[in-house]
Amino acid sequence: NAGVTQTPKFQVLKTGQSMTLQCAQDMNHEYMSWYRQDPGMGLRLIHYSVGAGITDQGEVPNGYNVSRSTTEDFPLRLLSAAPSQTSVYFCASSYGDRVHEQYFGPGTRLTVT
Amino acid sequence: AQTVTQSQPEMSVQEAETVTLSCTYDTSESDYYLFWYKQPPSRQMILVIRQEAYKQQNATENRFSVNFQKAAKSFSLKISDSQLGDAAMYFCAYRSAREYGNKLVFGAGTILRVKS
């Protein structure tokens, strides 16, 4: 199993550009989430999904869109990048509420200039 | 909303000695889960240990153990016989047992430095 994969590992965007961060898992996990990590703030939940076709907002959803058309994939879209979105982004997945461990991807470092 | 506080931005420990990282949390719920995650320089998030709030016994995993004080809302991590490979950022995290989505609330993290 590859586990949770994220692409790209690094990205530099100009203000106003759009892009999609990719996340995929091959463990047949129901739940998937996106977090952002900023210095001094830990990780904060952006959006999450409890199954294909079902998504919901987390703590810091503004400026981001998600969709979940398949169990395996959970892309995160930045429609118009802003410097405040400079961060490290992590995707995570888990079977569901019964199994507690979340498996994290390796992260994407995004810089918006 | 729940919050998690890690009051120690940085800690240092001598190799082979013991160190304790602090974590407090705020919640009105009685059923929840607590976690410690390790993030080495590789950036990978690694689960170190977990604790179910309904269990009175403190969790242990080899050299890692927790001191869970439910009434005080405290969840500290003790690392015994510290090794150079323990150097990392450590995050405390909370998850409600009532909410769907396996949503974690993280503290700001503690950088642990291990001196040889």
Side-chain angles (χ1 to χ4, degrees):
Chain A
N1 283 354
V4 180
T5 58
Q6 291 183 238
T7 55
K9 286 190 167 46
F10 302 93
Q11 183 71 49
V12 178
L13 288 179
K14 290 188 179 354
T15 297
Q17 286 185 319
S18 63
M19 81 159 295
T20 299
L21 306 186
Q22 301 291 346
C23 174
Q25 51 90 11
D26 61 358
M27 297 173 282
N28 202 31
H29 285 171
E30 290 180 77
Y31 289 10
M32 296 185 75
S33 306
W34 277 102
Y35 294 86
R36 59 177 288 174
Q37 180 180 5
D38 301 293
M41 303 189 74
L43 281 75
R44 293 179 293 167
L45 183 65
I46 305 171
H47 285 285
Y48 67 98
S49 169
V50 297
I54 307 170
T55 64
D56 206 346
Q57 296 181 350
E59 181 187 352
V60 288
N62 292 342
Y64 307 96
N65 278 354
V66 292
S67 60
R68 184 102 179 266
S69 56
T70 67
T71 300
E72 294 78 18
D73 300 299
F74 191 43
L76 179 72
R77 296 184 192 83
L78 285 72
L79 298 178
S80 179
S84 61
Q85 293 178 304
T86 294
S87 188
V88 179
Y89 291 84
F90 287 95
C91 180
S93 73
S94 63
Y95 277 112
D97 289 321
R98 297 296 177 194
V99 178
H100 307 149
E101 180 169 0
Q102 290 207 45
Y103 294 80
F104 284 82
T108 294
R109 181 176 293 279
L110 175 68
T111 302
V112 183
T113 61
Chain B
Q2 298 89 5
T3 59
V4 176
T5 301
Q6 293 179 248
S7 58
Q8 305 154 317
E10 281 193 38
M11 293 283 286
S12 290
V13 64
Q14 200 69 34
E15 202 175 0
E17 294 192 345
T18 296
V19 65
T20 298
L21 308 185
S22 301
C23 172
T24 59
Y25 56 94
D26 187 26
T27 184
S28 59
E29 300 176 342
S30 59
D31 198 10
Y32 49 86
Y33 309 102
L34 296 165
F35 306 85
W36 279 98
Y37 279 88
K38 172 185 178 181
Q39 186 181 47
S42 67
R43 213 164 61 193
Q44 183 67 48
M45 294 289 286
I46 302 164
L47 178 64
V48 174
I49 199 164
R50 80 189 100 195
Q51 174 80 43
E52 291 89 341
Y54 63 84
K55 290 187 177 178
Q56 291 188 340
Q57 188 172 6
N58 289 326
T60 62
E61 289 285 345
N62 300 316
R63 298 182 295 107
F64 299 88
S65 61
V66 297
N67 183 4
F68 173 49
Q69 301 288 329
K70 191 172 184 179
K73 297 180 183 173
S74 170
F75 182 61
S76 60
L77 174 70
K78 185 170 85 170
I79 306 174
S80 304
D81 186 25
S82 297
Q83 301 175 359
L84 294 177
D86 295 333
M89 174 81 88
Y90 286 82
F91 292 100
C92 179
Y94 170 102
R95 181 173 92 75
S96 167
R98 290 192 312 169
E99 296 181 9
Y100 287 105
N102 205 353
K103 297 177 286 184
L104 293 174
V105 178
F106 285 87
T110 297
I111 297 171
L112 178 66
R113 305 191 193 282
V114 181
K115 296 182 278 191
S116 59

